[in-house]
Amino acid sequence: MTDPHDRANYCYRHPDRQSFVLCQRCGRTICGECQTPAAVGVHCPECVKEARGNAPRLQPQVVGRVRSASRRGVPVVTYGIIGVTLAVFLLQLVTGTGNGVVTRALAFYAPLEIVQPWRAVTTMLVHGSILHILFNMYSLYIFGAELERQLGRGRFAALYFLSGIGGSAAVALLAPGNFVVGASGAIFGLMAAFFVIARSLGGRSIQLLVLVGINLAIGFIVPGIAWQAHLGGIVVGGVIAFLFSKTRHRSKRAVQIAVLVAIGVVVVAALLVRSAQLVGLL
């Protein structure tokens, strides 16, 4: 039987194991199984657990850079969309921009929407040519960066993607047989939002209105351009921007979120109902 006076010479976690090694932090006796090597001496399990809990959590370098950029006001959502879109276009170049596997998998086609609902979003990532993507990404860089700083990342993301989905919904309603690619619906939504917000703040935006009008007119004149998507994006983007301009005060945030969700539900429902009609489900 172990002498009670010699208990200090036995591991505090394993009373049947004699040891003369002490934890460098708390001074308790620990056996070989309970010892964790430290910079100086060894530590017991409790001290190791406490040290880990108090240690600063490390994060991947890229995560740290993104968070740092966010705190500095860098439009990370805008840059993220541009980066992903360019990456998808590189895949299109490899597989074929016109009828390649990536284009076919992601482009919008109204009759398929009811069974492949992601196409209303993924169509914003695929483009028909280098000029097509350059125009859209440059416009996103110009208008998106400024709108993201004004609205915040969450509101800007909602504006961009709902405008794009609104463009797809307009195509489904007005030109259901068209095979459509591009972020033009979302881009025109940003332009409309920029105009509405500028006007609400008392700014002069005649030049922007002329720019939007010219680009919208080109869609009617030049063949192969889905002017329907442009029109849908303008309507949805303008409505959302009007909502934001009228609910800027913090006390109206709940109303803003509720109406924004309602707009999203209406746009998505219109798209899915039209798609179901096209395939004979309704």
Side-chain angles (χ1 to χ4, degrees):
M1 179 178 295
T2 303
D3 186 344
H5 297 288
D6 294 332
R7 294 307 307 162
N9 294 329
Y10 287 81
C11 178
Y12 79 98
R13 299 179 75 240
H14 302 95
D16 59 330
R17 301 179 186 178
Q18 190 175 22
S19 176
F20 300 99
V21 178
L22 304 180
C23 173
Q24 188 67 26
R25 295 188 66 183
C26 66
R28 288 181 288 195
T29 303
I30 48 178
C31 64
E33 182 181 339
C34 298
Q35 297 171 15
T36 299
V40 179
V42 294
H43 291 168
C44 68
E46 276 71 18
C47 289
V48 171
K49 182 178 180 180
E50 181 182 356
R52 289 175 177 172
N54 294 332
R57 295 184 178 181
L58 299 178
Q59 59 187 5
Q61 189 175 19
V62 64
V63 175
R65 289 180 177 178
V66 170
R67 290 180 177 176
S68 176
S70 299
R71 289 191 291 269
R72 296 196 307 269
V74 176
V76 293
V77 175
T78 298
Y79 293 166
I81 294 172
I82 292 174
V84 173
T85 304
L86 292 176
V88 172
F89 187 70
L90 289 178
L91 293 177
Q92 285 186 267
L93 292 177
V94 173
T95 61
T97 55
N99 197 32
V101 60
V102 174
T103 306
R104 293 199 308 271
L106 303 181
F108 178 77
Y109 183 58
L112 290 177
E113 187 65 20
I114 192 65
V115 292
Q116 297 178 348
W118 62 82
R119 289 179 177 270
V121 176
T122 58
T123 187
M124 299 180 230
L125 302 176
V126 289
H127 289 79
S129 67
I130 292 179
L131 288 178
H132 189 196
I133 191 172
L134 286 179
F135 173 80
N136 280 347
M137 292 304 99
Y138 179 72
S139 299
L140 174 57
Y141 174 77
I142 297 298
F143 295 103
E146 183 60 30
L147 284 170
E148 185 175 347
R149 292 188 183 99
Q150 292 185 21
L151 300 175
R153 294 187 295 275
R155 293 184 185 90
F156 171 73
L159 169 65
Y160 183 82
F161 288 106
L162 285 179
S163 295
I165 295 173
S168 296
V171 172
L173 293 171
L174 303 175
N178 287 4
F179 187 81
V180 178
V181 297
S184 298
I187 298 301
F188 273 81
L190 297 185
M191 291 181 180
F194 197 93
F195 174 78
V196 171
I197 292 174
R199 294 291 294 177
S200 70
L201 297 176
R204 300 185 64 181
S205 50
I206 300 300
Q207 292 179 335
L208 177 60
L209 184 62
V210 173
L211 176 64
V212 174
I214 292 174
N215 281 276
L216 187 61
I218 290 175
F220 289 98
I221 299 172
V222 179
I225 296 179
W227 58 266
Q228 299 87 353
H230 300 175
L231 186 61
I234 288 175
V235 171
V236 174
V239 170
I240 292 176
F242 181 78
L243 167 67
F244 289 160
S245 68
K246 296 300 181 182
T247 55
R248 285 186 292 167
H249 196 275
R250 186 176 301 177
S251 62
K252 298 180 180 180
R253 185 172 184 179
V255 175
Q256 181 183 102
I257 294 175
V259 177
L260 185 62
V261 171
I263 293 173
V265 170
V266 169
V267 172
V268 173
L271 176 59
L272 294 179
V273 168
R274 180 54 176 161
S275 179
Q277 290 175 340
L278 293 173
V279 295
L281 295 178
L282 291 177

